[in-house]
Coordinates of all heavy atoms in Angstrom, one line a residue:
E28 N 0.9 -1.2 0.0 CA 0.0 0.0 0.0 C 0.9 1.2 0.0 O 1.8 1.3 0.9 CB -0.9 0.0 1.3 CG -1.9 1.0 1.3 CD -3.0 0.8 0.3 OE1 -3.1 -0.3 -0.3 OE2 -3.7 1.8 0.0
E29 N 0.7 2.1 -1.0 CA 1.6 3.3 -1.0 C 1.3 4.2 0.1 O 0.1 4.6 0.4 CB 1.4 4.0 -2.4 CG 1.9 3.3 -3.6 CD 0.8 2.5 -4.3 OE1 -0.1 2.0 -3.6 OE2 0.8 2.5 -5.5
G30 N 2.3 4.7 0.8 CA 2.2 5.6 1.9 C 1.4 5.1 3.0 O 0.4 4.4 2.9
G31 N 1.8 5.4 4.2 CA 1.0 5.0 5.4 C 1.4 3.6 5.8 O 2.3 3.0 5.3
E32 N 0.6 3.2 6.8 CA 0.9 1.9 7.4 C 0.5 0.7 6.5 O -0.4 0.9 5.6 CB 0.3 1.7 8.8 CG -1.2 1.6 8.9 CD -1.7 1.7 10.3 OE1 -1.7 0.6 10.9 OE2 -2.0 2.8 10.8
A33 N 1.1 -0.4 6.7 CA 0.8 -1.6 5.9 C -0.7 -2.0 6.1 O -1.3 -1.8 7.2 CB 1.7 -2.7 6.3
T34 N -1.3 -2.6 5.1 CA -2.6 -3.1 5.2 C -2.6 -4.5 4.7 O -1.9 -4.9 3.8 CB -3.7 -2.3 4.4 OG1 -3.2 -2.2 3.0 CG2 -3.8 -0.9 4.9
Y35 N -3.5 -5.3 5.3 CA -3.7 -6.7 4.9 C -5.2 -6.7 4.4 O -6.1 -6.2 5.0 CB -3.5 -7.6 6.1 CG -2.1 -7.5 6.7 CD1 -1.8 -6.5 7.6 CD2 -1.2 -8.4 6.2 CE1 -0.5 -6.4 8.1 CE2 0.1 -8.3 6.7 CZ 0.5 -7.4 7.6 OH 1.7 -7.3 8.1
V36 N -5.4 -7.4 3.3 CA -6.7 -7.4 2.7 C -7.2 -8.9 2.4 O -6.5 -9.6 1.7 CB -6.7 -6.6 1.3 CG1 -8.1 -6.6 0.7 CG2 -6.2 -5.2 1.5
L37 N -8.3 -9.2 3.0 CA -9.0 -10.5 2.7 C -10.0 -10.2 1.5 O -10.7 -9.2 1.6 CB -9.7 -11.0 3.9 CG -8.8 -11.4 5.1 CD1 -9.8 -11.8 6.3 CD2 -7.9 -12.6 4.8
V38 N -10.0 -11.1 0.6 CA -11.0 -11.0 -0.5 C -12.0 -12.1 -0.4 O -11.6 -13.3 -0.4 CB -10.2 -11.1 -1.9 CG1 -11.2 -10.8 -3.0 CG2 -9.1 -10.0 -2.0
M39 N -13.2 -11.8 -0.3 CA -14.3 -12.8 -0.1 C -15.4 -12.5 -1.1 O -15.6 -11.4 -1.6 CB -14.8 -12.7 1.3 CG -13.8 -13.0 2.4 SD -14.3 -12.5 4.1 CE -14.1 -10.7 4.0
P40 N -16.3 -13.5 -1.3 CA -17.5 -13.3 -2.1 C -18.4 -12.3 -1.4 O -18.4 -12.2 -0.2 CB -18.2 -14.6 -2.1 CG -17.2 -15.6 -1.7 CD -16.2 -14.9 -0.8
Q41 N -19.0 -11.4 -2.3 CA -19.8 -10.4 -1.7 C -21.2 -11.0 -1.3 O -21.9 -11.7 -2.1 CB -20.1 -9.3 -2.7 CG -21.0 -8.2 -2.2 CD -21.1 -7.1 -3.3 OE1 -20.1 -6.7 -3.9 NE2 -22.3 -6.7 -3.5
G42 N -21.5 -10.8 0.0 CA -22.8 -11.3 0.5 C -23.9 -10.3 0.2 O -23.6 -9.1 -0.2
E43 N -25.1 -10.7 0.3 CA -26.3 -9.8 0.0 C -26.5 -8.9 1.2 O -26.7 -7.7 1.0 CB -27.5 -10.7 -0.3 CG -28.7 -9.9 -0.8 CD -29.8 -10.8 -1.1 OE1 -30.6 -11.1 -0.2 OE2 -29.9 -11.1 -2.3
R44 N -26.6 -9.4 2.4 CA -26.7 -8.6 3.6 C -26.5 -9.5 4.8 O -26.6 -10.7 4.7 CB -28.0 -7.9 3.6 CG -29.3 -8.7 3.8 CD -30.6 -7.9 3.9 NE -30.5 -6.5 3.7 CZ -31.4 -5.7 3.2 NH1 -32.6 -6.2 2.9 NH2 -31.3 -4.4 3.0
S45 N -26.3 -8.8 6.0 CA -26.1 -9.6 7.2 C -27.5 -9.9 7.8 O -28.5 -9.3 7.4 CB -25.4 -8.7 8.2 OG -26.2 -7.7 8.7
L46 N -27.6 -10.9 8.7 CA -28.8 -11.2 9.3 C -29.3 -10.1 10.1 O -30.5 -9.8 10.2 CB -28.6 -12.5 10.2 CG -29.8 -12.9 11.0 CD1 -31.0 -13.3 10.1 CD2 -29.5 -14.1 11.9
H47 N -28.4 -9.3 10.7 CA -28.8 -8.1 11.5 C -29.5 -7.1 10.6 O -30.6 -6.6 10.9 CB -27.5 -7.5 12.1 CG -27.8 -6.2 12.8 ND1 -27.8 -5.0 12.2 CD2 -28.1 -6.0 14.1 CE1 -28.1 -4.0 13.1 NE2 -28.3 -4.6 14.2
D48 N -29.0 -6.9 9.4 CA -29.6 -6.0 8.4 C -30.9 -6.5 7.9 O -31.9 -5.8 7.8 CB -28.6 -5.7 7.3 CG -29.0 -4.5 6.5 OD1 -29.4 -3.5 7.1 OD2 -28.8 -4.5 5.3
A49 N -31.0 -7.8 7.7 CA -32.2 -8.5 7.1 C -33.3 -8.3 8.2 O -34.4 -8.0 7.9 CB -31.9 -9.9 6.8
C50 N -33.0 -8.6 9.4 CA -34.0 -8.5 10.5 C -34.5 -7.1 10.7 O -35.7 -6.8 10.9 CB -33.5 -9.0 11.8 SG -33.3 -10.9 11.9
A51 N -33.6 -6.2 10.6 CA -34.0 -4.7 10.8 C -34.8 -4.2 9.6 O -35.7 -3.4 9.8 CB -32.7 -3.9 11.0
K52 N -34.5 -4.6 8.4 CA -35.1 -4.0 7.2 C -36.2 -4.8 6.5 O -37.0 -4.3 5.8 CB -34.0 -3.7 6.2 CG -33.1 -2.6 6.7 CD -32.0 -2.2 5.8 CE -31.1 -1.1 6.4 NZ -29.9 -1.0 5.7
E53 N -36.2 -6.1 6.8 CA -37.2 -7.0 6.2 C -38.3 -7.4 7.1 O -39.1 -8.2 6.7 CB -36.5 -8.2 5.5 CG -35.5 -7.8 4.5 CD -34.6 -8.9 3.9 OE1 -35.0 -10.1 4.2 OE2 -33.6 -8.6 3.3
R54 N -38.2 -7.0 8.4 CA -39.3 -7.3 9.3 C -39.5 -8.9 9.4 O -40.6 -9.4 9.2 CB -40.6 -6.6 9.0 CG -40.3 -5.1 9.0 CD -41.6 -4.3 8.7 NE -42.8 -4.7 9.4 CZ -43.2 -4.3 10.6 NH1 -42.5 -3.4 11.2 NH2 -44.3 -4.8 11.1
I55 N -38.4 -9.6 9.6 CA -38.5 -11.1 9.7 C -38.8 -11.5 11.2 O -39.8 -12.2 11.4 CB -37.1 -11.7 9.3 CG1 -36.8 -11.4 7.9 CG2 -37.1 -13.2 9.6 CD1 -35.4 -11.7 7.4
A56 N -38.0 -11.1 12.1 CA -38.2 -11.5 13.5 C -39.6 -11.1 14.0 O -39.9 -9.9 13.9 CB -37.1 -11.0 14.4
G57 N -40.3 -12.0 14.6 CA -41.6 -11.7 15.2 C -42.7 -11.7 14.2 O -43.9 -11.5 14.6
I58 N -42.4 -11.8 12.9 CA -43.4 -11.6 11.9 C -43.5 -12.8 11.0 O -44.6 -13.4 10.8 CB -43.2 -10.4 11.1 CG1 -43.3 -9.1 12.0 CG2 -44.1 -10.3 9.9 CD1 -42.9 -7.8 11.4
D59 N -42.4 -13.3 10.5 CA -42.4 -14.4 9.6 C -41.7 -15.7 10.2 O -40.5 -15.9 10.1 CB -41.6 -14.0 8.3 CG -41.6 -15.0 7.2 OD1 -42.1 -16.2 7.5 OD2 -41.3 -14.7 6.1

């Protein structure tokens, strides 16, 4: 990485969303 401190990068498949986000935005918990 040019300039600054060293960085380490993991490359993973892109997920759609977290369960936290799904529960908050899709009204799953307590409903479905």
Side-chain angles (χ1 to χ4, degrees):
E28 186 69 16
E29 291 98 324
E32 69 186 273
T34 56
Y35 298 86
V36 180
L37 296 174
V38 183
M39 299 167 281
Q41 182 177 311
E43 189 176 84
R44 69 177 5 150
S45 72
L46 178 57
H47 178 269
D48 198 39
C50 285
K52 296 180 179 166
E53 297 172 17
R54 300 179 45 88
I55 296 171
I58 295 173
D59 188 346

